[in-house]
Amino acid sequence: MPKGSHDCGSGEQGAPSCPCIMVVFGASGDLTKRKLLPALYNLAAEKLLPEEFAVVGFGRRTYGHEDFRKYCSDALQEFLPNEVDAAVRDWLIPRLYFHAGNFDDAAAFEPLKSLLACIDKERNTGGNYLFYMATSPEFFGEIARQLNAAGLTAQTDGKTRRLVVEKPFGRDLASAKALNSELLKVVTEKQIYRIDHYLGKETVQNILAFRFGNGIFEPIWNRRYIEHVQITVAETVGVEMRGDYYDKAGALRDMLPNHLFQLVTLMAMEPPSSFDADIVREEQTKVLRALPPMNEAEVLAEVVRGQYGAGEIAGAKVPAYRSEPNVPPQSATETFLAMKLKIENWRWADVPFFLRTGKRLKERITEIVIQFRRAPLMLFHPTQSGVLPPNQLVLNIQPMEGISIKFNAKVPGPIVNLQPVNMNFRYQDYFKARPSTGYERLLYDAMIGDATLFQRADTVEIAWSVVQPVLDSWSAHPPANFPNYAAGSWGPREVDLLIAQDGRPRSWCNA
């Protein structure tokens, strides 16, 4: 099982992580059992957790330690895609503890401090704590304040104290600034890890390796060769049992300032001088600074919102959003968003980025499509019926992670006839990679103090500043036609006009 450790905060990749106790606030919630526990199991299986490691679940349930261990063991059995390895499970489960309490109750944090001190002695974890906020966003600031009041955030005598904050980080520009201010009153920016699990996906991480580790792609990664970029995050599921949360958020708040903008910045950033966290994140932030704020006319012309009605997915009838549990019957919350982004810098001038995300769409797929400019037709026009399709590079993020390239090849025979073909690479086929949750890399990085894949305070605020004009416009102009797309479709009809509005022959991929 995992053995060994190294200097906490060294950022050394590939070795077991720092000795620490991970405290999970909201330990009995869905995120913990579906994602965090399987991710910790996978890290243990890869020998990336040290012997000096433990997890404390903090929640309202009155679990004892053994109750919590049974709960976690059952969760692994249910949510791991493969059979549970008994040796890995038996290493991890005894390292789990539980502390019952309310997040806003100061009386619950002194006993937590005592429990952590006891585990430090038992597990030799050195007083290093990673506090993970798997809670509703309304508790982020309160938890940080209580931890600080209990003396659990101060980094003294070489001890590390880090806060991992889930998304959404705020619900608009003002609330994001307020939350940043609230957290920075009790901890430093270097102690905060604003997590976005999409950045844990292999293909997302591979964007930087693909762009900057290959000599054939970076020279053509610019406006001279690329005609446009499409980014799609489509889900077939509805809001399930999250109607109460989702109706307050909607597709824009849930996806745009975090998942989608993170993908945009990785695709569009300039080459960093090194993979130092601050240098990489500064290049990402420069991309967001190059997004001009939209005026109201641009919002109306270049942003499409939608809400799903009843429909059919995979042969099964599904209800309209307004009929989902905990959703108001006249809700005006969007479940679909598409928009056209312009990046005003030298590399990307006049290259539109089209973003699309939604629930209850036709397929579950997350992909980035780079469409290159068409080849001149001088040579092949007399022999072709129709127009040669442009070359495309597709980064598949889920459900099957991989990369494909579409190009034109001659069909065998005496007549010169071209046909598009694909070259496909899949991680699972080539590397025999085991299934992952997307959280493994992020948890590991937080434990070793590598902040590269986490958002900075200024990045979050700049992202919200781009989003805010859309929120303001939507607030002033409530939708009059919801629901405006059927479940099982690719969204409202207006989305097709969005991608072709400037007269170029474009269409959405997978539409």
Side-chain angles (χ1 to χ4, degrees):
M1 294 316 307
K3 294 181 182 294
S5 62
H6 55 82
D7 179 41
C8 199
S10 69
E12 179 187 348
Q13 289 282 351
S17 66
C18 308
C20 74
I21 302 174
M22 179 177 171
V23 182
V24 181
F25 293 91
S28 56
D30 266 8
L31 176 62
T32 300
K33 68 181 181 180
R34 291 175 180 269
K35 299 295 184 181
L36 300 184
L37 282 170
L40 289 172
Y41 170 94
N42 289 336
L43 287 173
E46 294 290 340
K47 297 181 171 53
L48 290 174
L49 295 179
E51 283 290 337
E52 307 88 352
F53 179 75
V55 176
V56 173
F58 188 120
R60 296 189 182 98
R61 295 192 184 182
T62 54
Y63 283 143
H65 299 322
E66 290 304 323
D67 297 325
F68 184 58
R69 289 166 185 163
K70 174 68 165 57
Y71 170 84
C72 293
S73 184
D74 291 345
L76 290 177
Q77 197 70 42
E78 182 178 0
F79 293 108
L80 281 172
N82 297 329
E83 185 176 348
V84 175
D85 184 318
V88 179
R89 178 198 62 206
D90 293 346
W91 183 90
L92 180 62
I93 294 300
R95 287 173 164 76
L96 306 181
Y97 303 82
F98 192 81
H99 178 70
N102 292 321
F103 307 138
D104 58 353
D105 182 8
F109 283 78
E110 282 301 327
L112 172 64
K113 184 177 182 179
S114 298
L115 174 61
L116 294 175
C118 289
I119 299 172
D120 276 332
K121 291 180 181 178
E122 180 184 347
R123 296 289 179 185
N124 195 29
T125 45
N128 302 312
Y129 305 148
L130 180 71
F131 299 107
Y132 196 110
M133 299 187 192
T135 70
S136 172
E138 64 193 89
F139 295 113
F140 294 166
E142 181 64 34
I143 292 170
R145 283 195 300 272
Q146 297 291 358
L147 289 171
N148 183 62
L152 288 171
T153 58
Q155 299 193 116
T156 56
D157 301 323
K159 299 180 177 66
T160 61
R161 306 288 165 88
R162 300 180 180 127
L163 274 63
V164 180
V165 184
E166 268 285 347
K167 66 117 180 153
F169 196 91
R171 56 176 286 104
D172 54 21
L173 178 57
S175 60
K177 286 183 174 180
L179 181 54
N180 273 331
S181 175
E182 196 170 12
L183 294 179
L184 291 171
K185 287 177 183 176
V186 296
V187 293
T188 68
E189 174 63 25
K190 288 188 177 294
Q191 290 177 269
I192 304 172
Y193 290 71
R194 300 170 187 82
I195 194 168
D196 181 346
H197 74 271
Y198 263 55
L199 295 188
K201 300 286 186 183
E202 281 295 341
T203 310
V204 174
Q205 296 176 48
N206 199 46
I207 292 172
L208 297 184
F210 184 81
R211 286 187 59 191
F212 306 130
N214 295 290
I216 64 174
F217 296 112
E218 184 57 25
I220 59 172
W221 211 264
N222 56 59
R223 65 187 301 273
R224 183 176 178 185
Y225 298 99
I226 294 176
E227 198 277 331
H228 77 271
V229 177
Q230 297 180 26
I231 300 178
T232 296
V233 181
E235 300 178 275
T236 55
V237 298
V239 295
E240 298 174 304
M241 301 308 295
R242 299 169 65 239
D244 186 54
Y245 156 74
Y246 193 87
D247 200 65
K248 295 181 180 69
L252 184 147
R253 288 185 172 95
D254 194 44
M255 299 296 293
L256 186 60
N258 38 69
H259 294 343
L260 287 169
F261 277 180
Q262 286 293 303
L263 296 179
V264 169
T265 59
L266 290 171
M267 287 295 300
M269 64 186 280
E270 293 298 316
S273 60
S274 77
F275 282 126
D276 174 82
D278 286 334
I279 293 173
V280 172
R281 293 190 295 177
E282 179 57 28
E283 294 301 338
Q284 290 182 268
T285 304
K286 286 178 183 177
V287 175
L288 294 178
R289 291 192 183 108
L291 298 176
M294 290 182 166
N295 58 42
E296 188 161 315
E298 288 171 326
V299 172
L300 294 173
E302 297 177 354
V303 183
V304 175
R305 56 179 157 169
Q307 185 190 90
Y308 65 82
E312 189 173 295
I313 293 179
K317 293 187 181 301
V318 296
Y321 173 73
R322 291 174 176 180
S323 298
E324 298 277 19
N326 303 314
V327 173
Q330 299 301 319
S331 171
T333 297
E334 80 286 351
T335 62
F336 178 94
L337 164 75
M339 71 185 304
K340 176 183 176 181
L341 279 184
K342 294 169 285 189
I343 302 176
E344 294 188 344
N345 63 21
W346 188 267
R347 182 184 290 261
W348 297 111
D350 301 321
V351 178
F353 280 62
F354 296 99
L355 314 184
R356 174 177 59 165
T357 185
K359 291 189 175 296
R360 290 291 191 209
L361 297 180
K362 189 173 184 178
E363 294 179 27
R364 174 180 176 259
I365 188 168
T366 300
E367 69 177 14
I368 302 170
V369 179
I370 299 94
Q371 182 157 307
F372 293 91
R373 299 191 183 279
R374 295 178 187 274
L377 299 179
M378 296 170 61
L379 291 175
F380 298 104
H381 183 67
T383 64
Q384 286 291 113
S385 57
V387 179
L388 285 176
N391 303 133
Q392 289 181 339
L393 172 66
V394 182
L395 306 179
N396 302 293
I397 296 171
Q398 65 180 18
M400 189 61 68
E401 293 181 305
I403 300 171
S404 64
I405 298 176
K406 183 169 79 173
F407 60 95
N408 299 303
K410 180 182 174 297
V411 178
I415 300 173
V416 178
N417 187 23
L418 300 186
Q419 181 175 306
V421 296
N422 287 314
M423 286 198 308
N424 296 312
F425 153 72
R426 297 198 311 174
Y427 282 88
Q428 189 172 1
D429 294 341
Y430 199 87
F431 295 112
K432 309 300 180 187
R434 70 172 69 216
S436 69
T437 67
Y439 279 85
E440 289 85 356
R441 170 68 186 272
L442 299 172
L443 291 178
Y444 176 75
D445 282 358
M447 290 174 192
I448 67 172
D450 184 344
T452 305
L453 297 178
F454 299 85
Q455 295 188 73
R456 290 190 325 206
D458 62 333
T459 308
V460 169
E461 292 180 12
I462 294 167
W464 276 115
S465 71
V466 177
V467 170
Q468 191 63 49
V470 182
L471 293 173
D472 293 341
S473 177
W474 284 2
S475 178
H477 304 281
N481 61 343
F482 278 5
N484 62 349
Y485 71 96
S489 70
W490 277 111
R493 283 180 294 181
E494 293 87 349
V495 76
D496 295 323
L497 300 176
L498 174 69
I499 198 168
Q501 65 183 222
D502 56 5
R504 302 189 204 186
R506 305 192 194 98
S507 62
W508 290 100
C509 294
N510 297 300

